[in-house]
Amino acid sequence: MGDFNLALVIVAIVVCIIVFLFNVYLLVNYQHPDDVNQAYFPKFVVVFGLSIAAISILMLPADVANRQACRHAIYNGACNLTLPMKDLWLAIYIVDAVLVFFVIPFAMFYYEGDQDKSVGKRIKSALLWMVTTAIVCALVLGILYGLVGKVDFSVRHLSSSTTSFPSSWEFNSGQQCIGGSGVHQCSAYSASPSSEKTWTMRATFPEYVVALATIVGSVLFAIFGGVGIACLPLGLLFSFIRRPKAVITRSQYIKEATELGKKAKELKKAAAALHQEERSGSKGRKFRKNVKEVEKELFQLEEDVKLLEEMYPQGEKAETAWALTVLGYLAKLVLGILGLIVSVAWVAHIIIYLLIDPPLSPFLNEVFIKLDNVWGLLGTAAFAFFCFYLLLAVIAGAMMLGLRLVFITIHPMKWGGTLMNSFLFNVGLILLCSISVIQFCSTAFAYYAQATAAQEIFGHTLESLRGIKYLYKYNVFQIAFVVLAGLTFVYYAAFGWRRKKPSGRFQLST
């Protein structure tokens, strides 16, 4: 038994190292050329934040494996070298909250500071914003923790009479306890309503911080996850449907390229005007709005150029490029079909297991258990895949809404062209939603993840917190998730088949 747990500890260390190295690889390949050999602090925050997000997702399968390592022990203390999962959960999510609400905002304020100012003034300005945020957050957390930072558990007072040790045991649905009929009350199902009482205790402050961060993340998760669970596979499928089916003629290419060239000149002129306006010290609301509009249009222009290059490949290897384009769209078809199966399984599981009371079936819980019976870690691996897929759905939903709505800043991720402020924004979003993904998975797979430290934190304490518990009692986030998934499916069914056209000219605010 001890050897198995030692192996689990070694695997956890190795996985953390691999995650860190993979995130360094992503940073190097996604970063913008302007950020090469500079902005080291934001880069460290990006790598560290992505590592925390990935590790937090992997911790739930690790928690399940940690529990299974001691399934033959009479009590946990009899199992050597088990991971202290509850302490690790609280530590990882306290770090998560600090990164989201303090470190990442500071790094963004510092990175986006006026480049003409000295480093000291940029740090001072970023610290001023961060301290202001810290004071507000500390006041809100302190007041809420002092007023409603308690946990209300509903319990039943059960009792039973004593009797002599019987010569035979006879129990049935009418008499589930020892003693004469009408005398005992030991069955929770047959106990009178008056036996139910509320047991109140104060939650620990770290658990309360995790709970509030989870609520904030749950709002974003319900929106982005609900949209993303549908748009992630459907986006791939409809991208295949509206793919360029043939190479356009040279005259068509010249016409489209001329229009894009005009738009590029407009963008260059607008960027120069904004740069001049920045030098003059004018940085009001209109200026920031115009900067965001230019960033949005620049991103759209790059997408239009990419689409045009697909439709008219050039160079000596034009035929090879077209063949790779066709293969790429075939890969999107395959991944879209697989993703659609997983998305439908997720939505069906939420309805069957979470929204219907009592649940019709454990569904995916039973699938994971059967896979574990086939091979010890097969079910855990499938469990980890479903959790990761949900996080990918959140990211896909955020990208879709960010490109179509006006209430969120556009921060696209592009291979070889992502600035650090976009990196930081997306890392903060991933970190904030990762808390809710874990809470959602621990609830959705409560049967499979039972008796784990994660379920103790997210399945018992969180869902019993005063004032917050009603959001989980009435499945507010699950219902919003399913509704938005359905609306997104309808949206794609109505508009997803339309072929994307290069965007037209734009006009800045004056």
Side-chain angles (χ1 to χ4, degrees):
M1 183 62 65
D3 293 337
F4 183 89
N5 293 320
L6 178 60
L8 183 61
V9 174
I10 294 173
V11 169
I13 295 174
V14 172
V15 168
C16 290
I17 295 174
I18 293 175
V19 166
F20 178 80
L21 294 177
F22 180 74
N23 289 325
V24 172
Y25 172 79
L26 288 180
L27 174 68
V28 171
N29 286 279
Y30 267 94
Q31 68 177 343
H32 196 280
D34 293 345
D35 289 327
V36 176
N37 298 324
Q38 60 179 344
Y40 290 108
F41 176 69
K43 289 179 181 178
F44 170 78
V45 174
V46 166
V47 173
F48 185 66
L50 287 175
S51 300
I52 291 295
I55 291 171
S56 64
I57 298 296
L58 291 172
M59 278 182 63
L60 189 53
D63 201 350
V64 174
N66 195 59
R67 178 207 62 191
Q68 292 177 345
C70 293
R71 63 183 181 274
H72 298 302
I74 298 176
Y75 61 98
N76 284 340
C79 186
N80 298 324
L81 300 177
T82 54
L83 298 174
M85 292 306 303
K86 185 173 181 180
D87 294 335
L88 290 175
W89 275 119
L90 294 177
I92 205 79
Y93 282 119
I94 290 297
V95 172
D96 193 312
V98 171
L99 283 172
V100 170
F101 296 107
F102 302 109
V103 178
I104 289 178
F106 170 80
M108 290 187 68
F109 288 132
Y110 175 78
Y111 179 82
E112 295 178 347
D114 191 346
Q115 301 295 327
D116 295 333
K117 293 182 179 179
S118 64
V119 174
K121 290 184 177 180
R122 291 170 63 188
I123 293 176
K124 181 179 178 181
S125 176
L127 280 174
L128 181 62
W129 282 102
M130 191 195 70
V131 170
T132 303
T133 304
I135 293 174
V136 173
C137 290
L139 287 174
V140 172
L141 285 173
I143 293 173
L144 290 176
Y145 182 71
L147 295 177
V148 292
K150 297 180 180 180
V151 182
D152 296 325
F153 294 105
S154 296
V155 298
R156 287 185 182 275
H157 176 73
L158 305 179
S159 61
S160 179
S161 60
T162 60
T163 186
S164 302
F165 197 82
S167 58
S168 62
W169 298 90
E170 295 182 1
F171 294 99
N172 53 52
S173 60
Q175 181 176 330
Q176 303 173 8
C177 308
I178 299 175
S181 60
V183 179
H184 57 83
Q185 198 180 36
C186 67
S187 174
Y189 293 99
S190 61
S192 62
S194 60
S195 65
E196 184 173 325
K197 300 181 183 301
T198 300
W199 178 33
T200 301
M201 61 179 293
R202 183 168 289 278
T204 63
F205 187 72
E207 289 180 341
Y208 196 72
V209 172
V210 172
L212 291 187
T214 304
I215 292 299
V216 176
S218 294
V219 175
L220 296 176
F221 167 77
I223 298 173
F224 295 146
V227 172
I229 202 72
C231 78
L232 179 58
L234 293 179
L236 293 172
L237 291 175
F238 281 107
S239 178
F240 172 80
I241 292 174
R242 59 175 183 257
R243 72 193 185 282
K245 296 179 176 62
V247 177
I248 61 175
T249 63
R250 181 175 178 81
S251 60
Q252 289 176 314
Y253 170 77
I254 294 175
K255 179 182 178 182
E256 295 290 346
T258 302
E259 291 297 323
L260 292 178
K262 292 179 181 178
K263 184 177 178 182
K265 290 181 180 179
E266 292 178 2
L267 282 173
K268 184 178 180 180
K269 182 178 179 181
L274 289 174
H275 185 67
Q276 184 65 31
E277 188 177 350
E278 182 183 18
R279 287 184 175 275
S280 66
S282 177
K283 293 185 178 181
R285 181 178 179 182
K286 183 178 67 175
F287 173 81
R288 293 192 297 270
K289 181 180 178 181
N290 287 337
V291 169
K292 292 179 180 179
E293 185 66 22
V294 169
E295 290 177 348
K296 179 180 177 180
E297 290 296 327
L298 180 59
F299 175 75
Q300 190 63 58
L301 177 62
E302 292 174 347
E303 291 294 307
D304 292 342
V305 171
K306 180 181 177 182
L307 177 62
L308 187 59
E309 290 176 348
E310 286 183 351
M311 299 172 67
Y312 190 79
Q314 302 179 59
E316 297 179 356
K317 299 182 179 180
E319 294 182 358
T320 303
W322 176 251
L324 291 176
T325 298
V326 173
L327 290 176
Y329 280 106
L330 289 175
K332 289 183 178 182
L333 174 63
V334 174
L335 293 176
I337 293 174
L338 293 176
L340 185 60
I341 294 173
V342 176
S343 293
V344 171
W346 252 119
V347 175
H349 179 78
I350 293 171
I351 296 174
I352 293 173
Y353 186 72
L354 295 179
L355 298 185
I356 297 179
D357 189 22
L360 294 179
S361 168
F363 195 35
L364 292 178
N365 290 283
E366 285 187 343
V367 173
F368 299 149
I369 292 173
K370 290 180 180 178
L371 290 176
D372 274 334
N373 293 332
V374 175
W375 181 54
L377 293 178
L378 190 58
T380 305
F383 176 52
F385 170 76
F386 270 81
C387 293
F388 257 113
Y389 184 84
L390 200 59
L391 184 61
L392 291 176
V394 170
I395 297 172
M399 292 301 297
M400 178 184 175
L401 293 180
L403 294 175
R404 286 166 172 78
L405 301 181
V406 297
F407 68 88
I408 187 170
T409 305
I410 305 297
H411 283 281
M413 297 285 290
K414 181 183 177 182
W415 187 270
T418 305
L419 294 171
M420 281 302 109
N421 58 344
S422 296
F423 244 129
L424 290 166
F425 176 85
N426 286 283
V427 169
L429 180 64
I430 292 171
L431 282 169
L432 192 58
C433 292
S434 66
I435 303 177
S436 301
V437 169
I438 293 300
Q439 188 276 330
F440 193 84
C441 289
S442 65
T443 302
F445 304 127
Y447 184 64
Y448 179 72
Q450 59 184 328
T452 58
Q455 195 173 64
E456 181 180 351
I457 296 174
F458 298 110
H460 302 304
T461 304
L462 177 61
E463 296 180 9
S464 300
L465 278 171
R466 186 172 296 179
I468 295 176
K469 61 182 180 181
Y470 298 105
L471 295 174
Y472 298 96
K473 180 180 180 181
Y474 297 108
N475 298 320
V476 173
F477 299 121
Q478 290 91 332
I479 293 173
F481 184 95
V482 173
V483 169
L484 287 172
L487 292 176
T488 306
F489 180 83
V490 173
Y491 169 83
Y492 266 92
F495 305 106
W497 56 270
R498 294 184 180 179
R499 184 177 178 81
K500 181 181 175 183
K501 295 292 185 181
S503 57
R505 298 186 179 185
F506 72 101
Q507 182 69 37
L508 297 179
S509 301
T510 57

